[in-house]
Amino acid sequence: MAKQGIDIIDCDVHISLRGGHDLLPYMPDAMKRRLLESGTGALYSGYYSPVGVPRKDAAPPGGGPAASDPDFLVEQLIDQHQIDYALLTGTMYDVSSGHDADYAAAIVSAYNDYVLDHWIGKHPSFKGTVAVSTIDPQLAAREIDRLGQHPDMVAVIMSSAARMPFGQRFYHPIYEAAERQGLPVMIHPGTEGAGSTNGPTAAGYPSYYLEWHTCLSQTFMAHLVSLVCEGVFEKYPKLKFVLVEGGVAWLPHLMWRLDKNYKALRSQVPWLKKMPSQYIREHCYLTTQPIEEPDRPGDLITLFNMIDAENMLLFSSDYPHWDFDDPHAILRTMPADMKRKIYYENAKQLFKL
Amino acid sequence: MSVHFVAEVEEIPEGHRKIVQVGKRSIGIFNIRGEYYALLNYCPHYGAELCKGIVSGTTMESKVYEYIYGKDQEIIRCPWHGWEFDIKTGCSLFDEKVRAKRYEVIVQEGRIGLVLGASSSEAKGEQ
Ligand code: FES
């Protein structure tokens, strides 16, 4: 082609690496492993875990990611730890951090159908949860109604990472559907700070997974206060709510503080007919993992006793993740009665098992 | 039981209050739409001078996201931490077992009297 006789500067040409590995020779040694494991930038929540997320011993011998093989899961979790029922809460939390409500709804529906086909019925201990995206609560309600009557679907599960606190009326169609179907609503962390969700801490975005993971409780506290104050449990008196993997030891602090504030500020929320902590006691449950580990283990039991927590806690292991709690190793100093409730009775009743 | 006359009716017009001293007791007298009520000027929470708070109405029990204004002039809000008390009963709005001590008021010949001592109404108003 003939040169046009003009000088040209192209100010935007996007060359590309052949792959992240291209950078390895130029990286400081301390950072190399991270590049190999997680690539060059933010993925998922954007927080890199140096211990990984799955347990290193949880990869199925036949290949595939941890907890993708029902037989190996039965062997490694159910049989080894003598578990009666396992609530399959899955991994579909990032659907709520996207932007496209219809696509997200299609993904969770497909996922729920996959779980019904490939897991439910494979072992008598398996119980399913209806995954929903919170981007469009009407679509979530439709999914809850689609699967809510399935005998092995015992709860609704959604991400705790959200665009606004869960008490707000935007979300009420989800609660209406869950109440209609008699299913508790569970929230679970994973994508705090990712995509369209709010920052993972009240102070903003921390630098490390260590900070991110420790501060997950903050999101749960804000959701719980919102649920109570916006009257969700007055509007949906049969609704039960489960806070999964958000920590436990903050609960007395929050209940005491909320009740104290309510004494002065009740005129803002005149629809509340009991002390705020009473709604929490009657409607909410917290799962135990990752259980706090104080220097004196008995302190945790003292704290549970302060707020009658034994009726609100449900054991969870978080298998196959790195911070897995072995039911026989944790909470050893717990009195037998409390143990029976937390490990079995409360969940049996709540999920009608 | 004894009656202590502490004010003239003209001193406390409707919607107003007067705080009086009777012996060691400081007591607030309120005129709500022509009726008089009296509360000990001492908040059962941490002892603030309760009767110096703002008198107003409040939001009544309602459905979720509904606000109904009521008890106009019948609520005193503690000047310290904001607890609301029903002036007519002394009860706090969040728990009727938490209450300010109240006294019976009588009006005779244009004078306002407080009934003090072991009267039944005072006993009822006690914490
Ligand atoms: S002293 Fe009255 S509310 Fe605290």
Side-chain angles (χ1 to χ4, degrees):
Chain A
M1 201 187 282
K3 218 169 180 266
Q4 301 205 14
I6 49 169
D7 300 326
I8 298 171
I9 298 172
D10 180 344
C11 296
D12 188 19
V13 179
H14 300 283
I15 62 146
S16 172
L17 297 174
R18 288 166 300 183
H21 291 198
D22 285 351
L23 298 182
L24 268 181
Y26 308 94
M27 292 288 285
D29 288 344
M31 300 283 183
K32 278 183 173 157
R33 190 174 141 219
R34 173 166 174 179
L35 178 69
L36 282 167
E37 286 178 355
S38 72
T40 53
L43 292 168
Y44 200 44
S45 72
Y47 288 92
Y48 164 73
S49 165
V51 297
V53 174
R55 266 167 48 175
K56 295 302 180 219
D57 63 342
S68 64
D69 174 349
D71 294 331
F72 186 61
L73 187 140
V74 168
E75 182 189 322
Q76 191 171 48
L77 177 70
I78 308 293
D79 291 346
Q80 191 178 324
H81 298 282
Q82 301 141 45
I83 285 171
D84 292 288
Y85 292 103
L87 253 68
L88 309 180
T89 47
T91 40
M92 275 298 132
Y93 305 111
D94 50 347
V95 287
S96 295
S97 60
H99 304 91
D100 183 337
D102 292 303
Y103 183 65
I107 293 283
V108 278
S109 286
Y111 170 79
N112 289 330
D113 288 337
Y114 174 88
V115 173
L116 282 168
D117 269 0
H118 292 263
W119 285 82
I120 299 303
K122 287 272 153 67
H123 191 271
S125 71
F126 291 164
K127 294 290 168 186
T129 56
V130 181
V132 297
S133 146
T134 56
I135 304 176
D136 183 337
Q138 301 289 352
L139 297 180
R142 207 182 291 170
E143 184 68 2
I144 294 167
D145 284 332
R146 183 174 80 91
L147 297 176
Q149 287 308 304
H150 190 291
D152 286 314
M153 293 303 232
V154 298
V156 171
I157 187 112
M158 58 197 208
S159 174
S160 53
R163 299 176 183 187
M164 58 184 112
F166 277 144
Q168 295 185 6
R169 61 198 93 184
F170 172 79
Y171 294 109
H172 291 193
I174 297 179
Y175 309 141
E176 198 178 315
E179 189 188 54
R180 183 163 60 233
Q181 299 295 342
L183 300 179
V185 173
M186 307 174 81
I187 58 171
H188 186 291
T191 57
E192 272 71 5
S196 64
T197 70
N198 277 306
T201 81
Y205 293 80
S207 305
Y208 308 115
Y209 188 87
L210 168 63
E211 299 172 87
W212 175 81
H213 199 273
T214 305
C215 292
L216 287 173
S217 306
Q218 293 184 7
T219 309
F220 281 73
M221 294 170 78
H223 284 316
L224 185 56
V225 170
S226 170
L227 285 161
V228 172
C229 292
E230 302 238 8
V232 167
F233 301 119
E234 273 299 330
K235 211 168 150 191
Y236 307 106
K238 294 204 286 287
L239 182 69
K240 306 287 182 194
F241 215 88
V242 188
L243 311 178
V244 184
E245 207 179 336
V248 173
W250 49 265
L251 189 61
H253 153 86
L254 181 130
M255 298 215 291
W256 293 332
R257 199 173 163 90
L258 188 54
D259 280 358
K260 176 166 172 156
N261 279 340
Y262 174 76
K263 288 175 185 171
L265 303 171
R266 61 146 289 283
S267 60
Q268 283 194 305
V269 287
W271 41 84
L272 296 192
K273 299 180 177 62
K274 311 169 213 183
M275 280 295 171
S277 64
Q278 197 55 30
Y279 289 99
I280 298 176
R281 285 200 181 88
E282 290 171 13
H283 293 270
C284 299
Y285 295 82
L286 283 74
T287 63
T288 53
Q289 184 280 339
I291 197 66
E292 287 92 351
E293 294 176 10
D295 295 338
R296 294 180 302 182
D299 285 350
L300 198 58
I301 311 299
T302 308
L303 194 123
F304 291 175
N305 281 326
M306 287 173 184
I307 53 156
D308 191 27
E310 67 181 89
N311 295 310
M312 300 174 56
L313 301 187
L314 310 171
F315 168 76
S316 62
S317 78
D318 200 32
Y319 178 87
H321 289 173
W322 65 277
D323 48 352
F324 170 80
D325 278 347
D326 177 338
H328 305 283
I330 62 160
L331 296 173
R332 293 194 139 167
T333 52
M334 186 179 272
D337 237 29
M338 193 185 255
K339 201 167 226 172
R340 211 188 46 247
K341 280 184 172 171
I342 294 174
Y343 277 76
Y344 192 77
E345 302 283 335
N346 293 344
K348 185 178 163 63
Q349 219 172 11
L350 176 64
F351 300 113
K352 305 182 191 94
L353 301 174
Chain B
M1 161 184 143
S2 55
V3 179
H4 295 251
F5 287 95
V6 290
E8 308 289 321
V9 289
E10 301 83 55
E11 288 178 72
I12 315 177
E14 189 180 321
H16 286 68
R17 88 198 90 176
K18 185 181 183 197
I19 295 171
V20 300
Q21 191 74 28
V22 187
K24 282 194 212 136
R25 283 179 276 211
S26 172
I27 295 172
I29 303 167
F30 300 80
N31 179 340
I32 303 174
R33 289 183 286 276
E35 300 284 338
Y36 296 92
Y37 301 88
L39 295 179
L40 185 65
N41 189 21
Y42 184 89
C43 178
H45 185 214
Y46 284 150
E49 289 192 78
L50 176 63
C51 299
K52 291 188 173 172
I54 288 171
V55 174
S56 70
T58 190
T59 51
M60 307 301 287
E61 197 169 291
S62 65
K63 293 210 195 83
V64 176
Y65 296 144
E66 186 177 67
Y67 288 102
I68 303 164
Y69 185 74
K71 289 189 186 274
D72 189 37
Q73 297 179 41
E74 297 175 23
I75 301 297
I76 177 109
R77 211 185 249 284
C78 178
W80 279 9
H81 311 106
W83 290 11
E84 296 168 294
F85 293 87
D86 187 322
I87 295 167
K88 291 183 169 179
T89 64
C91 294
S92 76
L93 264 74
F94 60 87
D95 180 353
E96 60 181 31
K97 291 197 289 296
V98 176
R99 46 190 176 181
K101 186 166 174 171
R102 58 178 285 275
Y103 299 94
E104 205 171 309
V105 182
I106 55 173
V107 181
Q108 264 172 20
E109 294 159 7
R111 294 190 308 155
I112 296 170
L114 291 169
V115 183
L116 301 184
S119 81
S120 56
S121 76
E122 181 175 349
K124 233 169 46 195
E126 276 202 78
Q127 261 241 86

